[in-house]
Amino acid sequence: MSFTDKAKAKAQQMSGLAKERIGDATDNQRMQAEGAREQRMAQDRQREGGRDMKDTFEK
């Protein structure tokens, strides 16, 4: 996973966290769920990149 990909995933994770917190503050369940989903997607991207890197070095 390149540095750019890591940065994009981290930015998506932070954006999701912000949406989730705004949803908490405004009692907006839709925004809370959307923020949580974005965070999970970003975490999955980061895990996928780590697996790709591990597979590359094992070969």
Side-chain angles (χ1 to χ4, degrees):
M1 178 175 235
S2 71
F3 176 76
T4 305
D5 292 336
K6 287 181 184 180
K8 286 179 183 178
K10 192 63 165 175
Q12 183 182 21
Q13 185 178 10
M14 297 307 293
S15 172
L17 180 62
K19 284 182 182 181
E20 186 175 18
R21 288 193 177 166
I22 291 170
D24 286 339
T26 60
D27 198 31
N28 184 335
Q29 292 179 346
R30 181 177 176 184
M31 188 173 275
Q32 288 173 336
E34 186 177 323
R37 181 177 50 86
E38 279 188 26
Q39 288 181 68
R40 282 192 307 273
M41 287 173 49
Q43 289 169 350
D44 289 344
R45 276 173 83 186
Q46 289 174 339
R47 278 192 220 110
E48 292 269 328
R51 277 192 231 126
D52 291 344
M53 184 79 77
K54 183 179 175 185
D55 292 343
T56 301
F57 284 112
E58 286 179 351
K59 293 180 181 178

